Amino acid sequence: MLLLSNTLSGRVEAFQPLDPNRVKMYTCGPTVYDFVHIGNLRTFIFQDVLKRFLHYKGFDVFHVMNITDVDDKTIRDSGAQTIEELRRFTDGFTKAFFEDCDRLGIEKPDRAVHATDHIEDMVTLIRQLQAKGYTYEKDGSIYFRIAAFKDYGKLAKLDLQGIQVGARVDVDEYDKQDARDFVLWKAPKNGEPRWNTPLGPGRPGWHIECSAMSMKYLGETFDLHCGAVDLIFPHHENEIAQSEAATEKPFVRFWVHGEHLIVNGEKMSKSKGNFFTLRDLLEKGSDPWAVRYALQSVPYKRQLNFTNESLQQAEISLKRLQAFKHRIRTESLEKGQNPKVKEGCATVLQKFERAMAQDLNTAQALATIFDWVREVNIALAENCVYSEDALLILATMEKLNQVLVLWESEEFQLDSDIQRLLDERSQARKVRNFLLADKIRQRIYDRGYVIEDGKNGVRCKKR
Ligand SMILES: [Zn+2]
């Protein structure tokens, strides 16, 4: 059972997808007007960990993410006058975004969908809302009338008493205090990109894109919708209003939101000089694996204070794990197996799963891994770890790595056949039968592994 904090109910709940085997997941992607900063990346990493843990638990996950390539910010910063110019500007940042994700081991969504490729779907949804009486027009723009949707405010827990009925807001982002009728379709402005549609010329508001695209690919009701806490209002509140008003069905079952990241105890801002992109950190010589480690080491529901020390600590922790892995891989161990080591491997996986199932408690999960590493190191010092144990330990580490991504995965498979060949080869070398040793090396190679003979023993890896 996986417990997740559901913003909609305000409670931690047991997660179950509608279709028992398939999780339908939507995450709000980047607004591609700049490189994403580490606060954004923290959100994408938390979503990646969630997705990977669902995979680990045996679920098939279908993940859709939008690319916001038309909104107030992309239009402002591109200075684009045409759709083509806008797309050229945003495509560069979309590419950069996926490069950053790649460096941090964040899996690609099954579908990454561009807002500008889905204008027709947005127009269709707005027309449905028009037909049901949820909209009105003013100066060529179309607004959603929030007073017409009785559940407005249920996600952000808004108190709507005292809102000004009929007051409108044209910008994509605004505060809770400014809850107003929001814009679905914006009248064209001179010198801005525009689409000619049955609604008239103009461009979509930000919120409608996620309603239109998520329902197109995941259906009218789906399991999981994630984002950072700052999207709860107005973006996600408005998504619910648009979708549920149109379909009269529940839109999303679980809303899961990641907390903010601060830097040295302060809100990140360009003017304070504490604003970092991944590229900034890498230029300063940071290891991308350590960046990921630091960003996922605090559970997503807690605010994360990113500091130089936290990054250094992450590097130290990772080095310890890597040194451990290297030692297990290369140490010459006697043939055999220690049942206690085997038990330890099973226990660490159980504890890891338990921690992760508690609303993705990554801090606890990592602590569990380090406790286990310490135990195995003690056993190694006492010469109580054998060759079969080593394979099991490596396989266990790979399993943990599938969720937390601590190093480049080698998909190491526990294969006792390969181990037997390795043992035979080392016997052959001991008696200086190099012809046989080479033949065995070839047999191992044919099964997909290469051997490196090092100072501390033999290293075998997938080729
Ligand atoms: Zn969105």
Side-chain angles (χ1 to χ4, degrees):
M1 188 159 69
L2 166 60
L3 296 173
L4 282 178
S5 290
N6 187 351
T7 311
L8 186 61
S9 65
R11 287 196 307 267
V12 176
E13 291 178 58
F15 174 76
Q16 267 303 327
L18 269 181
D19 171 347
N21 298 315
R22 193 159 207 239
V23 177
K24 291 182 178 174
M25 174 178 188
Y26 187 85
T27 56
C28 287
T31 301
V32 280
Y33 72 111
D34 201 347
F35 298 112
V36 292
H37 57 67
I38 54 169
N40 302 134
L41 287 168
R42 182 200 185 187
T43 306
F44 294 116
I45 287 174
F46 121 66
Q47 293 162 354
D48 187 58
V49 169
L50 170 56
K51 186 168 126 184
R52 285 169 176 276
F53 188 59
L54 288 166
H55 277 305
Y56 179 99
K57 296 290 282 178
F59 291 110
D60 178 19
V61 181
F62 183 58
H63 174 206
V64 178
M65 176 197 271
N66 66 306
I67 304 291
T68 299
D69 56 358
V70 52
D71 79 322
D72 293 349
K73 291 188 235 172
T74 46
I75 289 179
R76 180 195 66 199
D77 284 14
S78 65
Q81 303 204 341
T82 64
I83 299 167
E84 293 71 32
E85 281 169 16
L86 179 65
R87 187 67 189 245
R88 217 172 300 133
F89 171 83
T90 56
D91 274 353
F93 288 113
T94 305
K95 186 168 166 277
F97 168 70
F98 284 115
E99 283 166 7
D100 288 352
C101 288
D102 218 35
R103 299 194 88 159
L104 294 177
I106 299 170
E107 262 178 359
K108 269 204 153 173
D110 298 291
R111 295 292 297 260
V113 289
H114 290 256
T116 53
D117 292 335
H118 294 79
I119 303 294
E120 246 185 78
D121 300 292
M122 298 178 215
V123 169
T124 305
L125 184 56
I126 295 169
R127 295 187 83 182
Q128 268 176 285
L129 292 169
Q130 281 181 323
K132 292 192 170 193
Y134 284 100
T135 67
Y136 61 91
E137 237 179 286
K138 179 88 183 139
D139 302 329
S141 292
I142 301 168
Y143 296 88
F144 186 96
R145 191 192 304 279
I146 60 174
F149 181 65
K150 66 174 176 28
D151 282 343
Y152 194 81
K154 68 177 172 180
L155 184 72
K157 320 292 179 227
L158 282 189
D159 178 9
L160 289 175
Q161 292 220 325
I163 63 148
Q164 261 181 289
V165 174
R168 287 173 299 279
V169 54
D170 282 296
V171 290
D172 287 331
E173 291 182 68
Y174 50 92
D175 289 332
K176 266 191 193 182
Q177 298 83 288
D178 291 325
R180 287 165 199 221
D181 293 345
F182 59 90
V183 68
L184 298 165
W185 187 257
K186 297 195 190 201
K189 277 192 196 152
N190 273 341
E192 280 190 359
R194 67 177 68 186
W195 282 264
N196 289 312
T197 74
L199 298 172
R203 64 167 171 109
W206 172 35
H207 314 295
I208 195 74
E209 68 170 85
C210 284
S211 284
M213 295 194 289
S214 62
M215 292 198 290
K216 174 173 178 139
Y217 294 102
L218 299 171
E220 291 176 341
T221 302
F222 58 92
D223 300 305
L224 262 177
H225 195 314
C226 308
V229 282
D230 57 352
L231 293 187
I232 296 172
F233 190 86
H235 186 52
H236 290 164
E237 192 68 59
N238 292 351
E239 278 189 44
I240 293 176
Q242 296 160 153
S243 304
E244 297 192 354
T247 68
E248 294 167 43
K249 290 177 191 159
F251 174 43
V252 170
R253 300 171 58 244
F254 276 77
W255 286 91
V256 183
H257 292 101
E259 259 301 331
H260 277 299
L261 171 143
I262 52 173
V263 175
N264 296 319
E266 285 189 284
K267 202 170 173 236
M268 212 169 26
S269 85
K270 281 184 178 163
S271 58
K272 280 184 194 148
N274 65 354
F275 184 97
F276 299 114
T277 65
L278 177 64
R279 284 145 205 264
D280 296 330
L281 295 176
L282 299 187
E283 258 173 42
K284 286 204 268 175
S286 298
D287 171 8
W289 299 99
V291 174
R292 175 167 180 134
Y293 188 102
L295 293 179
Q296 71 185 6
S297 61
V298 174
Y300 78 100
K301 286 305 283 182
R302 292 214 320 253
Q303 194 177 62
L304 186 153
N305 185 20
F306 189 84
T307 61
N308 236 337
E309 294 74 54
S310 68
L311 193 53
Q312 279 165 7
Q313 193 50 50
E315 276 178 24
I316 293 168
S317 301
L318 266 188
K319 274 195 185 131
R320 273 176 61 199
L321 285 177
Q322 278 155 359
F324 174 72
K325 187 161 73 97
H326 182 74
R327 187 171 174 197
I328 296 293
R329 205 182 265 300
T330 55
E331 191 121 318
S332 316
L333 300 168
E334 277 180 47
K335 258 174 101 169
Q337 194 190 27
N338 177 353
K340 274 198 177 157
V341 173
K342 193 174 172 187
E343 204 184 297
C345 289
T347 308
V348 69
L349 289 176
Q350 270 170 19
K351 285 187 176 170
F352 168 80
E353 276 183 47
R354 216 177 297 144
M356 292 299 291
Q358 285 292 332
D359 208 10
L360 305 181
N361 191 340
T362 46
Q364 181 67 40
L366 285 165
T368 295
I369 296 173
F370 280 100
D371 287 346
W372 170 65
V373 166
R374 206 169 304 124
E375 278 168 29
V376 178
N377 273 328
I378 292 169
L380 273 169
E382 292 168 348
N383 292 321
C384 296
V385 178
Y386 301 93
S387 56
E388 274 184 48
D389 298 328
L391 286 176
L392 187 58
I393 291 166
L394 290 172
T396 304
M397 293 186 87
E398 276 310 310
K399 263 197 117 169
L400 298 166
N401 197 46
Q402 280 167 23
V403 181
L404 292 179
V405 195
L406 303 161
W407 52 78
E408 208 136 9
S409 180
E410 294 163 42
E411 286 169 31
F412 198 92
Q413 297 288 321
L414 179 63
D415 188 339
S416 54
D417 231 29
I418 299 291
Q419 186 56 41
R420 185 179 50 76
L421 287 169
L422 278 174
D423 291 341
E424 282 176 24
R425 177 173 171 271
S426 82
Q427 278 306 316
R429 279 163 62 90
K430 258 186 203 157
V431 298
R432 305 186 71 77
N433 186 347
F434 295 113
L435 197 65
L436 179 61
D438 278 349
K439 271 190 188 157
I440 297 173
R441 175 199 283 272
Q442 185 58 44
R443 278 163 67 195
I444 291 172
Y445 184 85
D446 293 342
R447 284 165 197 232
Y449 292 90
V450 283
I451 294 174
E452 287 163 14
D453 293 302
K455 219 170 41 200
N456 298 316
V458 179
R459 190 188 145 114
C460 181
K461 63 175 188 187
K462 273 208 157 181
R463 65 182 159 94

